[in-house]
Amino acid sequence: PGSYFVMATKYILPLRHKFSRHGYPWPQVQQNIILPPVQFNCVSVRFLSGEPNIPTPESSSKQSLPSETELYSILTKMFGDNGSVGSIPLSFAIGYGSGVFSQSSLLNNSADNPPFPMIDLILGVPDSVTFHRVNLARNPHHYAGVASLLNPETISSIERTGGGAWFNPYAPVSTSFGPRTVKYGVITACNLLADLTDWNGLYIAGRMQKPTKEVMVVPDQADSFRAAVKANLRAALAAGLLLLPPEPFSLSSRLERSNIYSSIATISYRGDVRLLFGAEDPNKVRKLVSTDGAADRWDFLYEPQLARLESKGLLTLCEDGYILTNLGDSRVREQLVEDLPMRYQQIGISREKLEKSLAETVRKSSGWQAAKGLVTAGMARSMKYTIEKLAKGKQKKI
């Protein structure tokens, strides 16, 4: 056991010095997080597919890999049927990333050796100590290295630092389309909702500003979850517009939706320490926005928010798909700022100041998440994951 801690210390401390050398402050453990009791009814679970205001399009197999039903099946295989005896209680569950939505020609590869990525899931839980206590007993193989030696209380404390999530990668699971691996992040329901509405770390909120699949939600928390999702999307659209590169805007400025969506997609990458180390695909934003089916998913996600801004007279949605607006008008920018979380409204209409503030938020949360990954995933899995990320980072930018 001691050797694991020695290895963790050996690798984490150099990271701390490297962060400081590049001007990235080493994040501190958040001591003031309050975890109020969450009212939880784990008996009745409903799917959100098709629910109004919840973005879960699934019109063709080309748009996605596993369906919401398949993702829910994966959840039950790993954690039990929510509400049944011996199951691990969940409040929310979403799927995201290239293992859920196609970001390349993955579906055209040979079935004999498909290069499918991990299926990424975010799990909102009513109480993280309870979750980890039950999960350690049910799925001990999900916790590797140092993590396997920790008690649930310590794991929960580590979870609450940085982006507020604990990730277990490379969890094996059998699916209807063969064996796959899952990376799931665990975050308390209250911290998840706080990040969506306040952008405290923009870690989970950033992922949910892009197309996701809502797999399940506990009915008595559906309203709060739906409201937080909408607040996050409303703020993301406002920030995406405010962050567009400066140009001589006029009343007749025509913007392509893809440019707006690309601006939104970069919000959670500004300041991301993975980019500092070249551990991210340089074509990530392009794949998120421009691959087959992506435009429909983004339109489904943001069409209600765009229509809302049109009703306020801030932009005009053209039949040809373009958007007319005047981002050079201070009155337009001031109204967009009102859609941001309160902490960012104080910045004003300056693009540069907003960009700097968002980058600082992401830098802190992503820095801590990267460092604590050595503990949460274990040394071997962390090295494997890092090598895969570095390989993506070396891809030629298109």
Side-chain angles (χ1 to χ4, degrees):
S3 63
Y4 285 104
F5 289 100
V6 170
M7 292 174 68
T9 303
K10 178 179 178 182
Y11 286 92
I12 290 177
L13 289 180
L15 276 178
R16 177 171 187 164
H17 296 310
K18 191 162 187 177
F19 283 120
S20 301
R21 189 169 66 252
H22 287 277
Y24 292 87
W26 187 256
Q28 301 299 315
V29 176
Q30 299 180 27
Q31 301 289 352
N32 58 345
I33 294 180
I34 300 175
L35 298 177
V38 180
Q39 296 299 318
F40 180 69
N41 173 14
C42 61
V43 175
S44 178
V45 175
R46 65 177 175 180
F47 291 94
L48 294 179
S49 180
E51 292 269 351
N53 303 322
I54 294 294
T56 55
E58 190 178 5
S59 59
S60 72
S61 60
K62 292 182 179 180
Q63 278 193 316
S64 61
L65 300 173
S67 65
E68 286 96 335
T69 304
E70 181 63 41
L71 289 173
Y72 187 77
S73 176
I74 290 173
L75 286 181
T76 59
K77 289 177 181 178
M78 292 197 300
F79 309 115
D81 193 3
N82 210 41
S84 64
V85 176
S87 67
I88 304 176
L90 304 175
S91 297
F92 320 112
I94 66 166
Y96 69 98
S98 57
V100 172
F101 294 106
S102 177
Q103 294 179 8
S104 63
S105 57
L106 290 174
L107 297 178
N108 297 326
N109 284 278
S110 169
D112 296 330
N113 187 29
F116 289 124
M118 282 190 292
I119 296 173
D120 291 306
L121 298 173
I122 294 295
L123 310 179
V125 300
D127 177 67
S128 61
V129 174
T130 300
F131 175 89
H132 291 296
R133 178 179 293 113
V134 181
N135 200 35
L136 280 165
R138 184 186 181 99
N139 299 303
H141 55 289
H142 290 183
Y143 297 81
V146 175
S148 64
L149 307 174
L150 303 178
N151 60 44
E153 290 77 14
T154 301
I155 292 176
S156 180
S157 296
I158 296 174
E159 175 192 306
R160 294 197 299 269
T161 60
W166 174 285
F167 282 89
N168 283 335
Y170 301 108
V173 65
S174 60
T175 69
S176 61
F177 40 88
R180 296 288 296 276
T181 56
V182 174
K183 180 184 72 176
Y184 61 92
V186 181
I187 183 172
T188 60
C190 56
N191 284 350
L192 170 60
L193 297 182
D195 196 33
L196 289 174
T197 55
D198 300 332
W199 288 6
N200 295 327
L202 262 174
Y203 200 77
I204 303 302
R207 283 152 177 74
M208 295 183 66
Q209 290 164 2
K210 310 170 186 68
T212 61
K213 283 183 181 293
E214 278 75 20
V215 184
M216 57 78 64
V217 62
V218 174
D220 63 0
Q221 295 188 43
D223 289 343
S224 59
F225 180 69
R226 183 174 291 113
V229 168
K230 291 176 64 175
N232 185 41
L233 297 179
R234 182 168 61 246
L237 177 58
L241 289 168
L242 291 167
L243 291 170
L244 284 172
E247 56 180 270
F249 291 113
S250 67
L251 291 175
S252 60
S253 293
R254 285 166 56 88
L255 300 175
E256 293 187 37
R257 292 189 179 213
S258 61
N259 291 337
I260 298 175
Y261 297 154
S262 294
S263 182
I264 294 172
T266 61
I267 292 174
S268 61
Y269 293 124
R270 298 173 187 272
D272 194 326
V273 298
R274 292 176 300 177
L275 300 178
L276 171 67
F277 296 104
E280 188 52 85
D281 184 353
N283 301 305
K284 186 74 171 181
V285 171
R286 181 179 179 275
K287 290 180 179 179
L288 285 168
V289 175
S290 303
T291 51
D292 292 343
D296 291 337
R297 292 194 291 271
W298 282 89
D299 285 341
F300 189 91
L301 196 63
Y302 283 99
E303 191 69 40
Q305 300 304 326
L306 287 168
R308 174 180 168 274
L309 293 184
E310 184 178 40
S311 69
K312 296 178 65 175
L314 301 183
L315 53 79
T316 301
L317 303 178
C318 304
E319 292 184 0
D320 59 6
Y322 282 86
I323 295 175
L324 297 181
T325 187
N326 182 13
L327 294 177
D329 188 336
S330 60
R331 292 171 297 178
V332 172
R333 299 185 71 84
E334 287 170 356
Q335 291 190 63
L336 290 174
V337 167
E338 293 176 359
D339 285 342
L340 298 177
M342 185 62 66
R343 60 185 298 188
Y344 298 98
Q345 290 183 23
Q346 302 171 2
I347 297 172
I349 65 175
S350 169
R351 174 183 180 272
E352 292 75 15
K353 290 182 179 179
L354 176 61
E355 183 175 25
K356 181 179 179 181
S357 182
L358 290 172
E360 181 68 15
T361 299
V362 174
R363 192 158 34 235
K364 290 179 179 179
S365 61
S366 65
W368 184 242
Q369 286 291 150
K372 75 180 185 182
L374 294 172
V375 175
T376 62
M379 192 61 62
R381 293 181 185 178
S382 293
M383 291 299 294
K384 179 181 179 181
Y385 187 72
T386 300
I387 290 172
E388 292 176 356
K389 282 292 187 180
L390 289 172
K392 289 184 178 181
K394 291 182 180 179
Q395 294 180 17
K396 183 177 181 181
K397 189 170 184 178
I398 301 175

